[in-house]
Amino acid sequence: MSAVVATTVPSRPESIGDLLDCFEAFARKDDRVAMGDLIDAIGTRSYGPFLIIPALIELSPVGGVPGVPTVLAAIVALFAAQMLWGRRRLWVPGWVAQRTLAARHLTRVVKAMRPVARRLDQWFYGRLQALTSGPWMRVAAVACVGLAALVPPLELLPFASSAPMGAIALFGLALMVRDGVLMILASALACGAVGLAVSLLV
């Protein structure tokens, strides 16, 4: 683990590009990257990145490894629950902080997401900001907990768990860049993910 990296990345990411810069810095530093180091580097002043990071990892090729989507969904649920309770500083148990990813996998995530990140960062920015604060943050938190709960059963079906995790990523991005339009889109995708889960599992 390398706490030194924390000084080379934004203390408060305000775009997906910022998050990918953080990923890249860690991937260049060590062979394996601990979740605890990523959390410390990103800071604790915004919930958005902590929803986006596990969701992006699940949407990458790493998410195809059996068991990984469920672990990432558990991490999302942990963060979303703390957002629901209004905690100002996020807490993570030791097993999450010590969980590591191979640097080469993290590099693959960065490479795959760069083109998408550039477009999203251009499109989404501070519209309808009222929808990204106050009670709406708690609504998003409840939605993310529910979406995370869908991941374990959907993991049994190829790529199915990407639907709820995609919605979680959009919720996280909406909160990070304070874009209410994106919050609406995330809500719509969440409804679609629930519908998909019902059709596949019932």
Side-chain angles (χ1 to χ4, degrees):
M1 303 182 190
S2 301
V4 174
V5 180
T7 62
T8 67
V9 297
S11 60
R12 184 174 183 174
E14 297 180 349
S15 67
I16 294 182
D18 287 347
L19 286 180
L20 295 182
D21 289 343
C22 177
F23 284 11
E24 192 170 36
F26 275 98
R28 289 177 175 176
K29 186 67 177 180
D30 292 318
D31 292 334
R32 299 195 66 83
V33 179
M35 288 296 297
D37 283 346
L38 284 176
I39 292 169
D40 289 341
I42 292 169
T44 57
R45 292 179 291 172
S46 173
Y47 286 106
F50 297 101
L51 299 177
I52 294 173
I53 288 175
L56 288 183
I57 294 174
E58 196 280 338
L59 293 171
S60 76
V62 179
V65 178
V68 169
T70 295
V71 171
L72 294 172
I75 294 172
V76 165
L78 174 66
F79 291 152
Q82 292 182 70
M83 183 170 72
L84 181 61
W85 296 331
R87 287 183 61 94
R88 293 189 175 184
R89 183 172 184 83
L90 290 175
W91 171 85
V92 293
W95 69 269
V96 173
Q98 295 171 12
R99 188 85 181 184
T100 63
L101 286 172
R104 66 180 184 278
H105 290 160
L106 206 53
T107 299
R108 290 170 63 189
V109 171
V110 171
K111 184 177 180 180
M113 292 303 301
R114 281 290 185 190
V116 177
R118 281 193 290 268
R119 293 195 178 190
L120 291 179
D121 288 342
Q122 291 174 353
W123 292 342
F124 301 115
Y125 49 88
R127 298 167 294 183
L128 301 178
Q129 292 187 12
L131 297 180
T132 63
S133 60
W136 296 106
M137 286 186 62
R138 287 176 167 77
V139 171
V142 171
C144 288
V145 171
L147 290 166
L150 295 177
V151 171
L154 288 178
E155 186 183 351
L156 301 175
L157 305 171
F159 307 110
S161 63
S162 294
M165 291 301 266
I168 289 168
L170 286 184
F171 276 120
L173 180 59
L175 292 173
M176 184 171 66
V177 301
R178 301 194 65 189
D179 192 313
V181 173
L182 189 55
M183 184 74 85
I184 294 172
L185 292 176
S187 299
L189 182 56
C191 292
V194 171
L196 175 65
V198 170
S199 66
L200 293 175
L201 300 175
V202 175

